[in-house]
Amino acid sequence: MAQAANQKHLKILIAEDSAPDRMILESIVTQVGHTAISVEDGVQAVEAYKKERPDIVLLDVLMPNMGGMDTAREIRKISAGELVPIVFLTSLSDNESLVECLEAGGDDFASKPYNRVVIQSKIKAFSRMREMHQTLAEQKSQIEANNRHLIQEQRVAKQVFDKIAHSGCLDLSNIRYYMSPLAVFNGDVLVSEVSPSGSIVMLLGDFTGHGLPAAIGSMPLATTFYGMVRKGFSMADILREINAKLNQILPVGFFCCATCIDVNFTKQRLRVWNGGLPDCYLYRADTDNYEKIQSSHLPLGVLSHREFKAETQRIRLEEGDRFYMWSDGICEARNGKGEMFGEERLHRLMERRKGQDILFDEILGQVHNHIGTSDKNDDISLVEILMEEVDLVVHEDISEKAKQGQLKDWKMDFRVESSSLKDYDPLPLLLNILSEIPGLRRHSAMLYTVMSEMFNNALDHGILGMTSDQKLSPEGFVAYYDDRRKKLNSLHDDYMVITLAHQYQANGGLLIIRVKDSGEGFDFQARESRKQQEAQPIRYHGEDAPEEKPNYFGRGLTLIDSICEKLIIHPPGNDIEAHFRWENES
């Protein structure tokens, strides 16, 4: 009885046409505390199963109206995915009959005459199997529910991220990119935007993990990137800020391998920072060869703000050059045998399609052919940028219209002391203020150029007292910036005052930018005389013609003069005023 008390109470259906055998089976079942549901044939067994839903079924193979095998098939149809052990009661012993019983849905046999110990043991064993199956079914159901919940969370996170990390300038004609996520939320992130200086700033990141772990880092990365690029911060400042945020919020072991580039087609230069992503490649059209740009930094989020290095590699570009970068999902893509696509296969393809438009598509095609029907093991991202002049449009803030009427006529003085002049760039802050004026933001590139020239002119030639004569050669440029760094570090009581004044007009406005420094000024009248002389036509004949040399300096004020309506130099030459008139787009 103690054994019976420990067993779970079961409902057991007994289908047996022989009354004595049915009584014996009822006795065996009830003796250990179970409930017996007895019927005389297969038809009654099916009806009893529908009504009582027993835990175990004992079926006689040979019964009137409906045999045991047909009854088993009907019960299997009704029970669907539920585990209901069916034990055939039979005196048959030939293999064909036993195989037929199993194929009909039976799980075991009990031979006649019945042995009490064997029957009870089988019931006990199938009871344990049924409990185990129920446990697995409950766990499977729980896992499926959790998975649905997780996917729903990822979808919500992706919708939020997609609104933050819009396509930016990725739709430019010279940019091709491909991103294929492993999970709903991509572990790779690609953001790109046009800065006020006219550069394309792009960051390809690969977070450790996929789904929500990647979402945790992608959100602050994207918001920081877009916010700082639009305000004109340098790539180094953007990387420092993103690294500091990721280092602060990500748990240990989570980081973002990334490649960040700053491409300026007007200046024909490329800046690259690579932290942990595969090597980038720059195809040179003039030499028909590749230059490899290796990773030289740790990933974002690993080092503290003080330890982080944001030095970038500066590369000169030529028309027709092509820049390639990708995440490790390209080389580490595996086929059904676990073989990786590999760098060697990728490099052979790059050599075979060197400089051709189809290289981008062939890389993706061969990677996907290599994966075949097997499951992907990582996100796949690939970017190609063709170096050619394109029309760049500074992003227009969608909330700009809502700001109309808030900031029209105003004036501000911004004074920068020596301690800040040493290592602080005030232009992003001032450009951010100017961007609050409805309609002025689209002129950010020209404003950045004007303010940058005025600021550098005041700092270099006014406060530091440097001359541009050193810039006659590349070596002179190096010496110039060495001296500049030393003089900046020795500043004490110098200052610069930047005045911004805006006058609102019906279809635009007038922005007056005035920069005054603590320097001695310069002989602007001599500059005017030189300009007048340069304006006179000079004719050279034969060997008297001078050798043409590139002019590396002295173009700043001329550039400002060409952009602005008016350029005024106040005596003694340390106070420069530029009038920038702008109009709304019709």
Side-chain angles (χ1 to χ4, degrees):
M1 293 301 292
Q3 183 184 6
N6 292 332
Q7 287 191 16
K8 182 181 177 182
H9 177 78
L10 302 174
K11 287 198 291 185
I12 299 176
L13 175 62
I14 300 171
E16 171 63 76
D17 60 331
S18 169
D21 287 348
R22 201 164 54 244
M23 291 180 62
I24 293 171
L25 289 171
E26 289 174 359
S27 173
I28 294 172
V29 167
T30 56
Q31 192 176 21
V32 288
H34 301 312
T35 300
I37 305 166
S38 299
V39 295
E40 298 177 2
D41 58 34
V43 175
Q44 293 180 7
V46 171
E47 292 301 318
Y49 180 82
K50 291 178 181 176
K51 183 180 179 182
E52 301 291 341
R53 289 286 176 176
D55 302 303
I56 297 174
V57 178
L58 303 180
L59 279 181
D60 188 10
V61 175
L62 302 175
M63 292 186 294
N65 300 325
M66 181 184 289
M69 295 182 192
D70 291 336
T71 305
R73 292 189 186 96
E74 288 299 316
I75 290 176
R76 286 289 178 229
K77 289 180 185 176
I78 299 169
S79 62
E82 186 182 358
L83 178 62
V84 182
I86 298 177
V87 179
F88 278 108
L89 310 170
T90 179
S91 57
L92 301 175
S93 58
D94 61 291
N95 291 336
E96 291 183 1
S97 298
L98 297 179
V99 169
E100 192 176 356
C101 288
L102 292 176
E103 290 178 347
D107 297 293
D108 202 355
F109 305 95
S111 303
K112 295 180 180 180
Y114 302 125
N115 183 299
R116 180 181 61 82
V117 176
V118 172
I119 295 290
Q120 290 178 348
S121 297
K122 288 181 183 292
I123 291 174
K124 190 175 181 181
F126 279 117
S127 176
R128 288 198 302 268
M129 182 187 298
R130 181 179 168 81
E131 288 179 10
M132 189 181 302
H133 181 269
Q134 288 176 337
T135 301
L136 289 174
E138 290 171 359
Q139 291 175 342
K140 179 174 178 287
S141 176
Q142 186 63 43
I143 290 171
E144 289 175 346
N146 291 340
N147 191 50
R148 286 194 297 272
H149 183 66
L150 185 63
I151 291 175
Q152 178 61 22
E153 287 183 336
Q154 290 187 29
R155 285 177 176 155
V156 172
K158 187 174 186 305
Q159 289 176 359
V160 174
F161 180 77
D162 288 345
K163 290 182 179 178
I164 296 172
H166 51 79
S167 61
C169 65
L170 290 173
D171 56 349
L172 289 173
S173 59
N174 64 330
I175 298 176
R176 302 177 72 186
Y177 68 98
Y178 174 85
M179 301 189 76
S180 175
L182 178 65
V184 173
F185 199 97
N186 203 337
D188 291 354
V189 58
L190 179 64
V191 286
S192 181
E193 188 55 285
V194 178
S195 75
S197 64
S199 294
I200 294 175
V201 185
M202 182 182 294
L203 186 148
L204 173 62
D206 183 0
F207 279 92
T208 49
H210 310 281
L212 288 183
I216 292 171
S218 297
M219 304 285 184
L221 184 150
T223 54
T224 304
F225 177 87
Y226 285 113
M228 295 187 72
V229 171
R230 290 169 188 163
K231 292 171 184 173
F233 283 92
S234 68
M235 192 172 82
D237 288 339
I238 296 168
L239 287 169
R240 287 192 193 95
E241 187 63 23
I242 292 174
N243 175 76
K245 285 197 173 181
L246 296 184
N247 180 258
Q248 182 182 8
I249 65 173
L250 291 181
V252 175
F254 283 82
F255 48 81
C256 179
C257 298
T259 296
C260 190
I261 61 173
D262 180 327
V263 188
N264 193 304
F265 298 109
T266 304
K267 298 179 180 177
Q268 293 187 305
R269 65 111 179 97
L270 166 70
R271 292 186 187 278
V272 184
W273 183 95
N274 190 345
L277 270 193
D279 298 335
C280 310
Y281 285 83
L282 178 64
Y283 169 76
R284 291 293 197 182
D286 58 342
T287 62
D288 192 29
N289 213 340
Y290 291 102
E291 288 182 11
K292 184 165 71 173
I293 305 167
Q294 294 179 307
S295 171
S296 56
H297 299 275
L298 288 175
L300 296 169
V302 174
L303 299 175
S304 66
H305 184 68
R306 185 173 56 83
E307 299 168 318
F308 183 73
K309 305 294 183 186
E311 287 79 12
T312 59
Q313 186 174 350
R314 182 188 173 106
I315 301 171
R316 184 163 182 79
L317 298 175
E318 300 293 343
E319 185 85 10
D321 293 348
R322 292 174 186 268
F323 178 79
Y324 296 92
M325 60 180 174
W326 50 77
S327 63
D328 57 8
I330 293 285
C331 293
E332 296 179 4
R334 296 177 182 273
N335 59 18
K337 299 177 182 177
E339 179 188 2
M340 289 198 299
F341 187 75
E343 290 187 10
E344 186 177 345
R345 200 190 312 257
L346 177 60
H347 293 164
R348 284 201 304 269
L349 176 58
M350 291 172 64
E351 286 297 319
R352 195 162 58 248
R353 299 299 186 189
K354 198 184 289 182
Q356 299 182 19
D357 286 335
I358 60 173
L359 175 59
F360 182 87
D361 293 326
E362 285 223 7
I363 291 175
L364 292 178
Q366 292 207 12
V367 168
H368 284 292
N369 287 339
H370 180 78
I371 295 173
T373 56
S374 59
D375 294 332
K376 286 194 304 180
N377 59 325
D378 200 356
D379 304 311
I380 295 174
S381 299
L382 174 65
V383 179
E384 178 195 64
I385 303 174
L386 173 62
M387 303 304 165
E388 64 177 11
E389 195 77 32
V390 292
D391 292 330
L392 300 178
V393 178
V394 177
H395 176 76
E396 190 75 22
D397 194 335
I398 59 173
S399 62
E400 187 167 301
K401 291 182 179 178
K403 297 175 183 174
Q404 288 185 359
Q406 294 183 1
L407 189 59
K408 292 182 177 178
D409 300 322
W410 54 275
K411 179 181 178 182
M412 63 167 285
D413 292 330
F414 186 76
R415 180 177 171 117
V416 189
E417 303 292 348
S418 298
S419 57
S420 294
L421 286 171
K422 292 178 181 178
D423 55 8
Y424 175 68
D425 180 4
L427 297 186
L429 173 63
L430 298 176
L431 278 170
N432 189 35
I433 294 172
L434 294 177
S435 68
E436 295 296 314
I437 302 173
L440 190 57
R441 184 179 180 82
R442 62 174 60 91
H443 303 285
S444 294
M446 283 194 288
L447 285 176
Y448 181 88
T449 301
V450 171
M451 294 176 67
S452 175
E453 291 294 341
M454 294 177 74
F455 176 79
N456 289 322
N457 181 71
L459 180 61
D460 289 11
H461 307 310
I463 295 175
L464 301 181
M466 303 184 69
T467 65
S468 297
D469 296 342
Q470 286 177 273
K471 299 181 181 178
L472 288 171
S473 66
E475 295 77 14
F477 258 96
V478 176
Y480 180 90
Y481 284 104
D482 282 343
D483 290 345
R484 186 179 188 273
R485 185 167 52 254
K486 293 174 184 174
K487 289 186 176 182
L488 273 176
N489 290 331
S490 62
L491 287 179
H492 288 294
D493 299 322
D494 293 284
Y495 66 88
M496 186 187 303
V497 177
I498 303 173
T499 301
L500 300 176
H502 184 260
Q503 300 169 12
Y504 183 77
Q505 296 174 352
N507 191 35
L510 174 65
L511 175 68
I512 300 174
I513 307 167
R514 188 166 180 173
V515 178
K516 183 177 181 180
D517 62 73
S518 58
E520 297 178 354
F522 72 102
D523 188 355
F524 62 93
Q525 291 180 338
R527 173 181 178 274
E528 291 300 317
S529 300
R530 190 167 61 250
K531 281 180 62 178
Q532 292 176 3
Q533 291 175 3
E534 290 173 355
Q536 297 298 321
I538 302 175
R539 298 180 183 280
Y540 294 98
H541 303 282
E543 297 179 352
D544 293 334
E547 181 183 355
E548 290 189 0
K549 292 183 177 180
N551 183 12
Y552 297 110
F553 62 93
R555 296 175 295 182
L557 294 180
T558 304
L559 180 61
I560 298 171
D561 203 9
S562 67
I563 294 175
C564 297
E565 179 183 84
K566 186 185 295 183
L567 175 64
I568 304 171
I569 302 175
H570 298 281
N574 65 343
D575 186 357
I576 299 177
E577 180 177 335
H579 291 202
F580 180 82
R581 191 175 296 280
W582 62 277
E583 294 181 352
N584 284 315
E585 285 187 342
S586 57

